Amino acid sequence: MKATKIKTLLKSSEIKKSFVVQGWVKTFRAKRFIALNDGSSLKNLQCIVDFENLEESLLKRITTGAALHLEGKLVESQGEGQKVELLVEKLEVLGDSDPEKYPIQPKKHSLEFLREKAHLRVRTTTFAAVMRIRSKLSFAVHNFFQEQGFYYVNTPIITGSDAEGAGEMFRVSTLDAKNPPLNEVGNPDYKQDFFGKETNLTVSGQLEAETYALGLGEVYTFGPTFRAENSNTTRHLAEFWMIEPEMAFYDLTDNMDLAEKFIRSVLKEILDNCFEDLEFLDDRLVKEDQSKPQAERSPMGLREKIKFVINNDFKRVSYTEAFEILRNSKQNKKKKFKFPVIQWGVDLQSEHERYLVESHFNCPVILYDYPANIKAFYMRRNEDNKTVRAMDILFPGIGEIVGGSQREERLEVLEKRIEEMNIDKKELWWYLDLRRFGTVPHSGFGLGFERLVQFTTGMSNIRDVIPFPRTPLNASF
Ligand code: 4AD
Ligand code: MG
C-alpha cells in the first residue's frame, strides 16, 4: 500500500479505512500517542499505538525525530484538537533517532540555534511553514509571468562581464591558487585560465535578459545571484535568488505598473492558498511582538500587512520629493539620522527609506527619478540631464525589495555614460549592439526573492528564509 499524505488524511472522511503513513515523530506521549509529521501539513497526525504484542524494545525506538512507517485504520478522534486519528496496527521504525543527541527537541529553540542546525531545522514547525510558503511563492512567480505571456530565460551564472557594477563579485577560476601563472606586470594571468579571461559569479542577469527581451518581447529570469559584499545585515545574503523581468516597449510607468501587479498577484496566491502556515506565522509574530517594547511592536499582523499591500496602491514619489520630505523632517532637523539629509543627490540610506515607508507614508513606496550619479550606467537619462528613470520599491520592515529602471536605449547617450563612469566599453560590445540593431525603449526590474519571502512570512532575518544561507564566514552544509 502506498503512503497517504498526512495533509490528505486530516481532511479525510474515510473512517475505518486502512492507510499507510510515513513520517517523523514530533512527540511520543504516554507510550501511546505519536504525533507524526511528514512535511505535507503544519498539523501532525495523532497515531495511537495500542496493540498487543508490541515489544518493549520496539516501543523504545519511538523517539522524537525517528522515522516511522505506520499502517492502521483511520478513526474519529476521541481526544481534542483533531477530527481523525490513526489506530496503528503495524509499526516499523525506518530510521532511529537518538533522543539524547537529536537537536530538535519538542520545545522552543532560538532561530540562532537552529541556523547552526540548518540541515535539520526544516523539521520544526516554523521552518517547515516558511519553506512551504517559499515553494508556493516560487510557483506563483512563474505562474504570474507565464500567464502574462512572458518567457522564462536562464541567464548565465558564470559571467565574463563585470560591468553591471551591482556589487563585489566572486571570482571563478581554475588557476592554481598557490602558484598562478603571472603576466608581465606580475598579476595572475587569466589568459591562461579556463575561459581565457577573468570570470565571476553573476550579480544580476539583467544585461543578458535585455538581449532576450529585444527578441522575445517580454521575458523574466529567476535564478541565483551572488554578491561578495561584506554586509552582515538581516537583509543581505552572499547568494540570493532574484526575479528579473525585462520588457521591450515598456517605459518606467509600465514598469512600475507591472511590478505592483506582480507583487500583489503572488501575495494573493499565498493568502488564498497557505492559510494554515500563514495563520501559524501570524500567531508566532504576535507572540514575538509581545516580548518587545511597545514602540517596536508591529502595528499590523502578518496577514493584515499582506492584505494591506494587496488592497492599496503603492505611493509613487520622485527622489526629489522624497529628498524634500526627508530634509524637512523633524528627524533630520533634530539630527536623529546617522546620515543627515542636506545635499540633493545623496544616496538614501536604509534609515531614510524606513522613515519614508514606516513613519511618513505608512505604505509601500515607489521612489523614482533618482540622481544619475548614484545609479547604474544603463538607466535612461531624463530631459533634466540630472536624473535617471530608476525606480526602487520600498517595503515596510524590509526596505528595498525591488530595484529597476527604464534602460538607456540611445547608443550615443549610453556610450557617453559608459565612458564617464570609466567602464570598459570593449567588454560591453554585445550590449551596445542592442542599441545598434533595432533599439527600442525597454524596462525591467529585479526583485530579491528572499526579501519577498521575508515579507510574506514575517521572518525578520533573511538567513531564516533560504534553506542554506551563504553569508560572510558561513558556508557550512
Ligand atoms: O537593486 P539591485 O542591485 O538591482 C539589480 O541588480 C538590477 N540589475 C535589477 C534589474 O533591474 N534587473 O538588486 C535588486 C534586488 C534588490 O532590490 C533586493 O531586493 C535584492 O535584489 N538584493 C538582495 N537580496 C539579498 N541579498 C543581497 N545581498 C541583495 N542585494 C540585492
Ligand atoms: Mg538596488
Side-chain angles (χ1 to χ4, degrees), residues 2 37 49 146 149 165 172 198 223 292 319 323 327 329 354 369 434 459:
K2 220 175 149 293
N37 195 283
V49 269
Q146 294 291 329
V172 175
E198 202 174 334
K292 287 185 188 161
Y319 169 92
F323 170 78
R327 196 168 61 102
S329 67
R354 295 194 78 139
D369 284 354
L434 299 174
M459 300 301 281

Side-chain angles (χ1 to χ4, degrees), residues 148 165 176 195 260 268 279 294 317 342 344 402 420 447 470:
Q148 305 278 319
D176 182 356
F195 296 105
E260 270 201 63
K268 184 152 188 328
E279 183 182 44
Q294 191 72 36
V317 190
I342 302 164
W344 186 94
V402 163
E420 277 168 13
L447 175 134
R470 297 285 175 260

Side-chain angles (χ1 to χ4, degrees), residues 164 166 203-206 225 227 229 231 235-246 375 378 392-393 400-405 407 444-451 462:
E164 161 90 6
V203 293
S204 158
Q206 177 199 323
T225 314
R227 298 196 184 173
E229 291 140 301
S231 34
R235 304 182 307 130
H236 288 88
L237 291 165
E239 177 181 292
F240 64 100
W241 287 65
M242 186 152 52
I243 297 143
E244 296 184 274
E246 192 68 38
K375 288 291 181 189
Y378 51 70
D392 277 6
I393 303 185
E400 182 193 327
I401 194 162
V402 163
S405 70
R407 318 306 188 191
F445 63 84
L447 175 134
F449 185 57
E450 282 73 21
R451 293 192 187 171
I462 198 163

Side-chain angles (χ1 to χ4, degrees), residues 368-424:
Y368 63 92
D369 284 354
Y370 279 77
N373 289 339
I374 57 172
K375 288 291 181 189
F377 74 92
Y378 51 70
M379 299 188 179
R380 194 184 198 281
R381 190 56 76 116
N382 276 313
E383 308 313 315
D384 64 10
N385 209 25
K386 282 195 326 205
T387 58
V388 286
R389 306 240 77 194
M391 66 113 174
D392 277 6
I393 303 185
L394 313 177
F395 257 41
I398 303 287
E400 182 193 327
I401 194 162
V402 163
S405 70
Q406 184 171 333
R407 318 306 188 191
E408 185 55 78
E409 85 284 14
R410 299 163 297 185
L411 181 64
E412 315 75 58
V413 184
L414 186 61
E415 281 184 318
K416 187 159 161 269
R417 190 68 190 141
I418 289 173
E419 279 155 25
E420 277 168 13
M421 292 179 85
N422 285 321
I423 297 168
D424 188 358

Side-chain angles (χ1 to χ4, degrees), residues 133 270-271 274-282 302 306 456:
I133 289 181
I270 298 305
L271 202 60
C274 298
F275 181 83
E276 261 179 21
D277 288 328
L278 272 186
E279 183 182 44
F280 172 81
L281 293 168
D282 207 340
L302 180 62
I306 296 175
T456 318

